[in-house]
Amino acid sequence: MAKKKTVFECIECGHQDPKWLGRCPSCGKWNTMEQVSLSNSGSSGNSLSDFLSTGLSSKSSVMLHDVNSSELPRFSSGFIEIDRVLGGGIMRGSAVLLGGEPGIGKSTLMMQIAGAVKSEDNTGKVLYISGEESANQLKMRADRLGIKSPNIELLIESDLRKILDVLDSSRPELVILDSIQTVVSEEAGKVPGTVNQVKYCGHSLITWCKNNNSAIFFIAHVTKEGIIAGPKIVEHMVDTVLYFDHSNSGIRFVRAAKNRFGSVDELGLFTMESTGLREVKDPSTLFLIQRDGGIPPGIATVPVYEGTRALMVEIQALTIPAKSGFSRIYSDRIDNNRVSRIAAVLEKNLNLRFADQDIYVNVAGGIKLNEVGIELALACALYSARTGIPFPTETAVAGEISLAGEIRPTAHMERRVKTSAEMGYKRFIGPNPVETGTSKSLQGIYRGVSNISESIQSIFGKG
Ligand code: TYD
Ligand code: MG
């Protein structure tokens, strides 16, 4: 029999080395190298091909046009917000990773989903596996959440072998594992949460679910640096990666970072109440600050397009003379490079000096913006902050800005104008010409502009 080959693997980042090292050369952490046998480490063997061919009746190739393209069946999570983020409900046989900081509400959300799943054709049986909390704690949470479903089975276990045995006997439609970092298998070393453990256990559970047409949610803790603690590896194995995050105004977001069965643009919005997470059904004004008087300088409003919905968002800017010899940009909601580029366009076209200023940019409600349509509003906020001229009330803007200072057409313009009009905005400044689809009444509030000077002139009354 061939001798089992072993290597040393870092339990933090997965780096492998033929010899033991005190410090991992890849992530720099000390005392993280552990001996593993190659057959257990996912980087060898045929586990990947097994995994990918799961569901095919034979391992031979098929003609693309012979493959049945009918939609795979889905069922509802019981939450419109979650169904939308997943791309239309929970796909049978799919694996989803739900990551988030401790305390964000992952266990709460999963327990609520366990109590609310709706599947037409059968029981909707859910197996909630916890390696973190006792049955008593889970029951107390479920009571607080008002969960009455008779179909939730609890399993307090972290041994993979025993979990697989229970899966075989109970055959749930939905499996929830809280969390992936707690499950261990003897075959993958002794320490839970290591790369090897997560890879091995994650893979075994995904394979079981794919073979049995059950969906599985893995809960994973995210460290402060935003990386799923220990192994990020499971992100590659699952079909969908969801991140649960919060804004400083208390809104909690679920966003897909990867989705094999839908888009990654959708945002599910929740608030945490005393009886659990509540969906935010009308988010259009959530990211606006209500004021009695006029708008102070440095603020501009833009309808942003998140998946299938437009939301009104307020961008805030502040400029002050640079504290050090060079200027700095402090912006954690909009990419620094974008802020820097828009400031440069304003500097070039409007003779407005930003090079000696520190620039602070924020977004009300703490939502992160990474679409190009916000650039005109960002320019307005920066212009207003630098000049002290306030952005006019009841006005909204949207558009992309080129390096030459042109206002470029932006996707979903009609929808943005419509949402703004519904929210009571009387003027809308955007790219020229307006989309042909825009209806007459909406065109009444729309003013098309072609470059940054014309935009500033039209919005603020001077250039
Ligand atoms: P939890 O779901 O345990 O977070 P995670 O699993 O991500 O670590 O709970 C998050 C927080 O929410 C916890 O501090 C208590 C609070 N909470 C409520 O405010 N209302 C509720 O109904 C529940 C169940 C929890
Ligand atoms: Mg938890």
Side-chain angles (χ1 to χ4, degrees):
M1 204 173 77
K3 201 170 158 243
K4 233 183 186 180
K5 226 182 144 195
T6 61
V7 291
F8 292 89
E9 188 174 78
C10 172
I11 58 172
E12 287 289 333
C13 71
H15 173 81
Q16 291 188 337
D17 214 279
K19 59 189 181 307
W20 187 85
L21 298 163
R23 185 177 189 213
C24 170
S26 170
C27 70
K29 296 248 169 68
W30 290 92
N31 289 327
T32 53
M33 303 295 281
E34 267 193 6
Q35 190 168 27
V36 295
S37 86
L38 268 180
S39 60
N40 287 340
S41 99
S43 55
S44 70
N46 60 356
S47 50
L48 184 64
S49 62
D50 280 352
F51 172 52
L52 290 176
S53 58
T54 306
L56 286 183
S57 50
S58 81
K59 291 203 175 182
S60 54
S61 58
V62 285
M63 295 306 290
L64 180 61
H65 80 263
D66 291 340
V67 177
N68 189 350
S69 63
S70 66
E71 270 278 305
L72 289 161
R74 299 184 188 245
F75 57 96
S76 172
S77 67
F79 288 87
I80 297 166
E81 297 293 294
I82 294 294
D83 287 353
R84 213 191 35 247
V85 173
L86 291 174
I90 302 171
M91 184 77 78
R92 287 184 196 278
S94 72
V96 180
L97 183 73
L98 175 69
E101 284 174 27
I104 184 78
K106 299 181 294 298
S107 305
T108 305
L109 178 65
M110 289 321 304
M111 186 53 90
Q112 284 182 268
I113 289 177
V117 282
K118 290 190 191 83
S119 67
E120 319 77 36
D121 47 336
N122 38 23
T123 58
K125 191 165 167 188
V126 181
L127 180 68
Y128 193 115
I129 308 161
S130 179
E132 308 217 321
E133 288 166 296
S134 66
N136 229 316
Q137 281 173 299
L138 293 173
K139 172 69 175 153
M140 272 161 58
R141 178 182 290 121
D143 286 347
R144 182 171 172 184
L145 299 170
I147 288 169
K148 306 243 161 45
S149 165
N151 298 329
I152 306 171
E153 201 177 324
L154 301 180
L155 174 62
I156 311 303
E157 186 56 76
S158 52
D159 183 337
L160 177 70
R161 190 65 262 150
K162 292 182 185 151
I163 292 174
L164 288 170
D165 286 346
V166 174
L167 285 173
D168 279 335
S169 60
S170 106
R171 312 211 148 261
E173 271 188 88
L174 176 65
V175 183
I176 294 166
L177 177 62
D178 189 357
S179 68
I180 179 73
Q181 281 117 323
T182 56
V183 52
V184 279
S185 167
E186 258 182 26
E187 279 135 279
K190 290 183 194 68
V191 190
T194 61
V195 176
N196 242 1
Q197 286 287 2
V198 169
K199 225 191 287 186
Y200 187 84
C201 298
H203 177 253
S204 307
L205 291 166
I206 292 172
T207 306
W208 189 94
C209 287
K210 297 235 179 260
N211 289 339
N212 291 277
N213 222 9
S214 306
I216 183 160
F217 277 78
F218 295 106
I219 292 181
H221 301 296
V222 171
T223 58
K224 280 192 205 72
E225 296 87 45
I227 304 160
I228 288 188
K232 220 173 153 55
I233 195 91
V234 79
E235 288 199 5
H236 302 296
M237 293 162 43
V238 297
D239 302 301
T240 304
V241 177
L242 303 181
Y243 275 103
F244 204 178
D245 201 358
H246 65 98
S247 71
N248 31 24
S249 63
I251 300 293
R252 289 166 203 237
F253 315 92
V254 176
R255 191 195 280 281
K258 159 182 173 179
N259 194 356
R260 285 190 185 139
F261 307 125
S263 98
V264 289
D265 300 326
E266 295 284 356
L267 200 58
L269 300 170
F270 295 89
T271 52
M272 180 66 91
E273 316 276 328
S274 59
T275 50
L277 291 155
R278 215 180 58 213
E279 297 177 278
V280 178
K281 295 239 167 76
D282 178 22
S284 39
T285 57
L286 208 58
F287 305 105
L288 288 179
I289 293 174
Q290 307 300 331
R291 295 188 182 79
D292 291 335
I295 302 173
I299 285 168
T301 312
V302 53
V304 299
Y305 208 77
E306 281 289 345
T308 49
R309 298 185 294 193
L311 317 168
M312 300 304 296
V313 173
E314 182 179 297
I315 298 178
Q316 307 164 351
L318 169 72
T319 62
I320 54 165
K323 290 196 286 284
S324 51
F326 52 93
S327 79
R328 288 190 62 179
I329 293 169
Y330 302 86
S331 171
D332 54 357
R333 306 292 169 193
I334 299 175
D335 183 40
N336 272 12
N337 292 330
R338 175 164 281 150
V339 175
S340 169
R341 177 162 52 78
I342 299 302
V345 169
L346 284 171
E347 180 148 353
K348 170 92 178 168
N349 289 274
L350 298 165
N351 242 339
L352 205 59
R353 214 167 142 71
F354 284 99
D356 55 357
Q357 301 286 310
D358 280 346
I359 300 174
Y360 294 80
V361 173
N362 195 15
V363 178
I367 182 176
K368 280 205 171 90
L369 299 180
N370 44 26
E371 65 137 319
V372 293
I374 63 150
E375 290 182 348
L376 182 53
L378 176 60
C380 289
L382 289 169
Y383 176 87
S384 170
R386 189 72 183 93
T387 59
I389 306 169
F391 188 75
T393 53
E394 300 185 335
T395 303
V397 298
E400 181 185 350
I401 302 179
S402 75
L403 280 182
E406 305 147 296
I407 310 299
R408 308 281 312 140
T410 308
H412 312 294
M413 211 55 186
E414 184 181 358
R415 187 66 189 278
R416 296 180 204 252
V417 180
K418 194 155 176 278
T419 300
S420 307
E422 282 164 5
M423 299 327 308
Y425 288 80
K426 306 265 165 20
R427 281 175 81 208
F428 196 105
I429 286 94
N432 212 2
V434 62
E435 270 171 41
T436 45
T438 309
S439 69
K440 282 263 157 15
S441 63
L442 295 182
Q443 285 188 25
I445 71 166
Y446 193 90
R447 162 95 202 262
V449 287
S450 51
N451 60 52
I452 186 67
S453 310
E454 189 189 346
S455 315
I456 295 294
Q457 171 82 47
S458 163
I459 297 162
F460 294 93
K462 32 191 105 173

